[in-house]
Amino acid sequence: MDDDVTEYEAGKNVKLEDGNGGNGLTFGYSLGDRATASLTGSFTGKAGTKDGNIVLFTGNVDVGSVDFGQVTWGTTPLTLDSAVTYDFRDAKINTGSIVFTGLDGLSAGKNTMTLLDTNGRAVNLSAGNLSGESLPYTVGTTLEGQGQAYLEGGNVQYAIDLHDNTVKPQAQTHMTVIGQDAGLAAVMEGSDLVIRDLLTLKNREKGSFTFASALAGENRYETGSSLRTNGWNGHAGFGWKKDFGSRGVGETALFYDYGDGNYRTYDNGLYGHGDLRYRGAGLFGRFTTPDKVFVEGSVRTGRVDNKARHVLVDGAGNGYDYDTDSRYTAFHLGAGRTVDLNDRDSLEWYGRYFYTHVNGDDFEAGGRYHLDIVDSSLLRLGARWERKSSQNSAWYAGAAYEYEFGGEATGTADGRSIRSASIQGSSARLEAGMLWNRDNWTLQTGVHGYMGKHRGIGGTVDFTIHL
C-alpha cells in the first residue's frame, strides 16, 4: 500500500456501493469546509482500509457543485487533492453567496485572489461552470458590491474592482444613523420638560423651592425611513425665585437631568431596536418684567448611552449588537409676553429656540462604523391660553408651530458614507393641562401631541415644594 495516499474517515456521509463493474468502488465525496468552501460529488476508484478508515488510492471525482461561504480575502479557501482527478463536466460553481472578510487592505483598482486552486487535477473545467455574470458579495455587516469569478491558469479566480461604483454600504447600515437620531430625540424631550418646569413656577410666590418632574410619551419621526421612540424624562432639583422690585421677578434652578427609553427602526423591510439612557445636569432661569414680558433660557449637559440590539446581520446570519456612549449638550432661549384678557383668562405668546448636540462615536459590529455628531436646531412659535377655575387652580390649552432645521444623522461603514437619516421638517404641537396651587406646593399635569414630521403623544407631571 502506497504511503502517499489520502485517507477519508468512514462515517455516516460515506456510502459504499457495489464494485461498479470492476471499475472500482463508488462513494459520496466531499472536500473542504461548508462554512468557507466545499466541493461535493461522487468518487469512483480504488480503495482499501487502514485502521478503520477507507483509504483512496486513485480515482475520479464527478463534481456536482462547489459552494463558497465566508472567505478571508487573499487566502485560498479550497485546493483540490493531488491524488484524485476531478471532472467538472456537469459541475456548478456557486459564488453568489460569498461573504468576504479581511478587505481592509484592498487597493484602489482591480484586486484578485484565488478561490479554487485546482492543483493541476481538474478536467473539463470551463467558463461554462461559472455564471459568467457579476455576482453580489458582502463584507461583514458593512459593504456590498459586485465581483466576478473567472478562470485563469486553470484556477478559479475572483476580482473586485474598487473603482467600480457598485461597492457601497449595505442597506442595513442605515439603521445605525437612525439610532443616532433616536438618541438625539430622547435628549430633545428633556428640553420640553424644562418648559413644563418653568410653567409650574410661573404664578408662585418668591422664595426657594425644590421640585421633581417627569415626562413620558411615544413619538414617531419620519427620517426618510421610520423611527419610533418610547421613553420618559425626569428632572429633580432646587432653586430660587426673587423679586427685583420695579425691574421684575427672576427665578433660577439647578437640576439633575435624566431619561430612559427604547426605540424601533424600520426601513424597507429591515427592523431594529435599541435602548437609550442619558444622565446629566442642567440650569434654567427666567426673568419677567412688571408688564409680563419674559425672557428665559436653559443649558444641560451629560452623556447618552445607546444600546442597539440585533440591528446588524452579516451574510453568514450572525447578529451583532453595539453600544455607543456620547456627550450631549443642549440649550434653549425664549421670549414672550402674557396678556391678561380679563380677571380669569390670560394669553401667552412666545417664541423659543432649542439647540441639542450629541457627539459621534466609533464601534465594531461586523465591520468598522463611525457615527458623526448630530445636531438639532428647532424653532417653536406658539400661544397658550390659561383660565383660572378657582383661586388655587387653573387649566390651560395651547398650540404651536415648530420647524426642525437640523437633525441629520450621518456616518460611515468601513469608510463608505451611510445613507443619512433626518428629522428635519415642520410639525404642529397641541397641549392641555391643569395647575393646582396650595400654600407650599404646586402640582401641574398635562398632555401634548404632535402632528407632521414629528408625530406622537405624551404627558407630564411636575410637583414643586416651596420652602
Side-chain angles (χ1 to χ4, degrees), residues 285-355:
R286 184 173 187 169
F287 188 85
T288 306
T289 66
D291 57 358
K292 297 187 177 180
V293 174
F294 66 86
V295 292
E296 64 185 32
S298 68
V299 61
R300 300 179 296 131
T301 187
R303 301 200 70 84
V304 57
D305 182 35
N306 188 336
K307 299 180 183 295
R309 296 293 172 258
H310 300 292
V311 173
L312 303 168
V313 180
D314 66 21
N318 302 307
Y320 292 83
D321 303 337
Y322 69 86
D323 296 350
T324 62
D325 181 54
S326 305
R327 176 161 294 281
Y328 72 86
T329 305
F331 72 83
H332 101 274
L333 297 171
R337 183 175 185 180
T338 302
V339 179
D340 292 325
L341 303 176
N342 52 52
D343 59 352
R344 296 181 62 192
D345 300 308
S346 64
L347 186 64
E348 177 186 287
W349 298 90
Y350 63 85
R352 293 187 172 102
Y353 172 74
F354 302 88
Y355 174 79

Side-chain angles (χ1 to χ4, degrees), residues 204-224:
R204 290 301 304 184
E205 297 297 325
K206 295 68 179 173
S208 59
F209 57 87
T210 183
F211 70 97
S213 57
L215 179 153
E218 179 178 25
N219 297 279
R220 178 173 178 174
Y221 300 86
E222 296 303 323
T223 65

Side-chain angles (χ1 to χ4, degrees), residues 17-27 42-46 60 62:
E17 297 184 0
D18 62 26
N20 198 23
N23 293 320
L25 298 172
T26 299
F27 302 89
S42 60
F43 172 86
T44 301
K46 305 298 182 180
N60 298 319
D62 291 323

Side-chain angles (χ1 to χ4, degrees), residues 267-278:
D267 181 48
N268 294 324
L270 300 174
Y271 301 89
H273 63 93
D275 298 311
L276 294 164
R277 171 177 292 185
Y278 71 84

